[in-house]
Amino acid sequence: MHLHREDTVLVLSGRDKGKKGRVIRLFPGREVALVEKVNMVKRHTRPNQQVPQGGIVEKEAPIHFSNLQVVCSKCGKATRVAKKTLADGRRARACKKCGEILDKEK
Ligand SMILES: [Zn+2]
């Protein structure tokens, strides 16, 4: 899987094509992700604990992985992801455009 939580991604197709956002949730089994403020849909909901007043709530709808591309934190470009093996043997994702390692925190 080439997407991680908290990644900044570019939307490649659909209504929000060209928008960038942060991945807030991944559903690996369905190969979709929720991206902050992207692909917003209006939901009519009954009052519940999260939304005590009920009514129309805007929320993100999932987008398929194939419509998302990771934005490199170094060069700022949307890129495909290369897999690299680090000196200590860990596998990491890297930007295909500039070679920057994108998973330094792990
Ligand atoms: Zn890059």
Side-chain angles (χ1 to χ4, degrees), residues 29-66:
R30 289 162 57 202
E31 301 199 322
V32 294
L34 293 183
V35 182
E36 194 173 45
K37 300 289 173 208
V38 169
N39 208 19
M40 299 298 285
V41 291
K42 289 194 170 74
R43 283 278 151 77
H44 301 260
T45 49
R46 291 171 182 279
N48 58 31
Q49 279 189 341
Q50 281 168 349
V51 190
Q53 78 279 19
I56 298 168
V57 178
E58 276 205 285
K59 58 182 275 185
E60 290 88 356
I63 304 174
H64 195 262
F65 287 174
S66 64

Side-chain angles (χ1 to χ4, degrees), residues 83-93 101 103-106:
K83 289 282 182 185
K84 279 197 176 172
T85 305
L86 304 178
D88 61 6
R90 288 176 305 164
R91 301 279 284 163
R93 299 175 305 159
I101 303 292
D103 296 315
K104 273 176 282 188
E105 74 281 3
K106 282 183 204 117

Side-chain angles (χ1 to χ4, degrees), residues 1-12 20-21 23 26 65-82 93-97 100-103:
M1 188 168 68
H2 66 286
L3 289 177
H4 291 185
R5 222 172 136 250
E6 302 292 322
D7 278 348
T8 299
V9 292
L10 175 72
V11 181
L12 299 179
K20 286 178 188 174
V23 174
L26 291 165
F65 287 174
S66 64
N67 295 327
L68 298 172
Q69 214 167 32
V70 177
V71 175
C72 173
S73 52
K74 188 179 181 193
C75 67
K77 292 175 186 157
T79 180
R80 288 178 57 206
V81 169
R93 299 175 305 159
C95 171
K96 276 210 171 170
K97 300 225 162 108
E100 177 77 357
I101 303 292
L102 301 174
D103 296 315

